[in-house]
Amino acid sequence: MQEKKVAVLFTGLIRDAALFERSVAEFAAQPCVTQIIFSTWHKDALDNGEFLQGLMQRYPLTVVTATDPKLVYDQYNGFRQSVTLRRGLEAVGEASHVLRTRTDTHIDPAVVQHLAAKDSRITDPMAPALRLFREKISTTCCSMLAPFYIDDILFFGHKEDLLKLCSMDYSEFRHPSSAKYAHYIRYYPPFRQHFPQFMHFVHNEIFATVVSAELRQLVLPKLMESREYALMLVIYYRLVSAFFCLDWGGYRSTFKGVAAEYTDGGADFRMDADQMNDSNAFFARGSVGDFDHPELRRLLGPAAESLRTVSDLRDAASGIDYAAFFSEVRNYAKQAFRFDQRLAEAKAMMRAGETVSQAFQTLCWLQPADPANTELMYLLALCYNSVGDIARAQPLLERCLETGAPFYSPAGQLLAEIMQQKSA
């Protein structure tokens, strides 16, 4: 098989100039690398102009810049990352394939030779009907329990395929509930047309991925025991197996100086959506219910077995009302947290005045159980406003109006006061 011509694309800000220069120099020495691109914001390039011009003189480095969109609701930078990724991909010249990395990430540059030489053909029989990618996209690992929570520190693929990972579908992703949203925005949109049920997970992913151990221990086991979520996971496993490759030749990266940690298919199973897996075999076997771990076999095996009788994977979830399913999950979480009672307690604390900080802690603790609750968001905004932090209060109030609160509601009135205060 002919070795691919590769462009290495760095995105991000220059926070460690020495590490960035080391990576540029190492990749420039690889025979298959024909171009190195750095995509960043105008300001970062201007702030580091002398340094970047020096690199461009010594290495085949192209620097492209974009205006930072600074979207109000892009709390976890998913859309901003799409902008710099697309800008960088548009600058690729003769190379057919791209390794996308970051300025704060390091990996042995020999990995690019491995990626360029390996066979990435898509052979799954459902692929021709879906027409998603030309080749498999290589990424380092994927979550075992959270669909489309796929690592995005490093990924490699055909340029035309990676352009499909630059979604600017702002409307459906404008209310992130956790930092994992940036991963869903990257990897899910190409599949959404054929598998729309995963959008319900994206809107409710906090119940699987929440940082709060207490909420996760209450809700994630309930999700895993359900037929609906089990079916969602085994469909996701099939998609990962068909369209992604987790083979990086044994090379491991460091991100911000910390070595990457993820497990293979033989590791002990944990009820934790942050458990990442780097085994192609795990996802291929899991999609047909073949698990080494007996608990995963019990939880997901029947759902995988049901796929054997489905001729078209797109029809596997037909008849399941995922909106109703996740509504039930949300109600369960609220009951488990005694949401209404504790929300009333927080309001009483705020009326008392001297216990606003305690009320704030209660509200933050409750929020994962119902992240779109406008009353809770309004109360959090009141807490921020009480200490003069209008920068945090305003987005919460704007989201209240975005999610249904009238402009003349208390949230709207407080937002008007803040906007007048800022314009004064």
Side-chain angles (χ1 to χ4, degrees):
M1 180 173 292
Q2 185 177 3
E3 190 176 78
K4 308 170 181 77
K5 292 182 179 180
V6 179
V8 177
L9 169 59
F10 290 87
T11 61
L13 304 178
I14 298 177
R15 294 191 173 95
D16 187 335
L19 176 63
F20 179 47
E21 181 168 5
R22 174 189 172 191
S23 295
V24 169
E26 291 174 342
F27 280 121
Q30 299 301 309
C32 66
V33 174
T34 61
Q35 188 179 10
I36 300 175
I37 301 166
F38 175 42
S39 179
T40 189
W41 309 122
H42 301 321
K43 183 179 185 304
D44 190 53
L46 293 170
D47 290 345
N48 296 277
E50 184 176 350
F51 168 68
L52 289 173
Q53 288 182 37
L55 292 185
M56 293 170 70
Q57 292 171 1
R58 295 191 296 277
Y59 308 106
L61 175 66
T62 300
V63 178
V64 295
T65 63
T67 301
D68 188 343
K70 296 180 180 178
L71 298 173
V72 174
Y73 296 108
D74 192 16
Q75 185 177 354
Y76 302 108
N77 299 321
F79 294 98
R80 297 173 75 237
Q81 291 172 13
S82 287
V83 170
T84 53
L85 175 59
R86 175 171 287 279
R87 187 73 180 89
L89 291 172
E90 289 171 345
V92 173
E94 64 175 348
S96 58
H97 290 72
V98 178
L99 170 63
R100 182 274 192 183
T101 182
R102 294 173 44 134
T103 58
D104 50 9
T105 298
H106 182 266
I107 192 167
D108 188 322
V111 71
V112 76
Q113 295 292 128
H114 171 78
L115 295 169
K118 73 177 183 179
D119 184 356
S120 296
R121 287 176 295 179
I122 297 172
T123 58
D124 192 291
M126 70 173 167
L130 300 184
R131 303 178 68 181
L132 290 172
F133 302 131
R134 297 185 179 200
E135 299 176 1
K136 288 186 176 183
I137 291 175
S138 292
T139 185
T140 57
C141 55
C142 305
S143 171
M144 297 164 62
L145 302 185
F148 293 99
Y149 176 28
I150 299 173
D151 186 73
D152 66 351
I153 299 299
L154 293 153
F155 48 88
F156 173 88
H158 194 284
K159 180 182 74 170
E160 298 302 321
D161 294 335
L162 298 191
L163 281 167
K164 295 181 179 181
L165 305 185
C166 305
S167 173
M168 294 302 293
D169 185 6
Y170 182 65
S171 60
E172 289 289 349
F173 294 89
R174 69 185 184 277
H175 298 313
S177 55
S178 83
K180 294 177 177 62
Y181 246 63
H183 299 261
Y184 309 133
I185 293 170
R186 175 74 60 246
Y187 292 109
Y188 174 54
F191 296 88
R192 184 182 173 193
Q193 176 184 356
H194 301 294
F195 302 95
Q197 68 268 30
F198 288 98
M199 198 74 236
H200 295 288
F201 167 76
V202 170
H203 286 160
N204 295 277
E205 57 89 27
I206 196 72
F207 297 119
T209 66
V210 64
V211 174
S212 166
E214 184 174 359
L215 182 60
R216 186 171 63 241
Q217 290 166 7
L218 284 170
V219 181
L220 185 54
K222 181 176 178 62
L223 283 174
M224 293 296 295
E225 292 284 353
S226 69
R227 171 181 172 270
E228 293 87 347
Y229 198 68
L231 186 59
M232 185 171 275
L233 282 177
V234 295
I235 293 173
Y236 158 66
Y237 287 2
R238 174 77 180 277
L239 295 175
V240 168
S241 177
F243 297 104
F244 294 90
C245 181
L246 308 180
D247 170 22
W248 287 68
Y251 296 101
R252 294 290 180 102
S253 64
T254 58
F255 173 54
K256 298 182 178 179
V258 179
E261 291 186 11
Y262 27 83
T263 186
D264 60 25
D268 288 341
F269 164 69
R270 302 193 310 269
M271 194 65 74
D272 182 355
D274 284 331
Q275 186 175 18
M276 307 297 280
N277 197 298
D278 70 345
S279 168
N280 287 317
F282 171 82
F283 291 99
R285 292 174 55 199
S287 68
V288 295
D290 182 9
F291 296 100
D292 292 329
H293 198 285
E295 184 67 357
L296 272 176
R297 195 180 312 124
R298 180 186 72 83
L299 293 168
L300 304 182
E305 182 64 27
S306 72
L307 292 186
R308 296 179 186 273
T309 60
V310 177
S311 59
D312 190 330
L313 193 66
R314 291 171 290 188
D315 298 330
S318 60
I320 297 179
D321 187 344
Y322 275 102
F325 169 71
F326 279 106
S327 178
E328 291 178 6
V329 172
R330 189 181 310 110
N331 289 335
Y332 172 82
K334 292 175 71 173
Q335 291 172 10
F337 262 43
R338 294 186 290 120
F339 185 91
D340 293 336
Q341 177 184 338
R342 286 176 170 168
L343 187 65
E345 291 171 356
K347 290 164 68 175
M349 293 176 196
M350 294 176 70
R351 285 193 292 268
E354 67 274 8
T355 54
V356 170
S357 61
Q358 187 177 349
F360 177 77
Q361 292 176 357
T362 299
L363 293 169
C364 289
W365 184 77
L366 286 175
Q367 191 175 26
D370 192 1
N373 186 290
T374 55
E375 183 178 18
L376 189 149
M377 287 189 285
Y378 169 62
L379 293 174
L380 280 171
L382 280 177
C383 291
Y384 282 124
N385 191 59
S386 70
V387 294
D389 192 349
I390 61 175
R392 285 188 171 89
Q394 183 172 343
L396 285 166
L397 296 169
E398 290 173 337
R399 186 177 174 190
C400 284
L401 270 61
E402 285 272 346
T403 51
F407 71 91
Y408 52 81
S409 66
Q413 293 174 13
L414 181 57
L415 178 60
E417 293 174 11
I418 287 176
M419 294 175 70
Q420 289 174 359
Q421 181 181 343
K422 290 176 69 175
S423 62

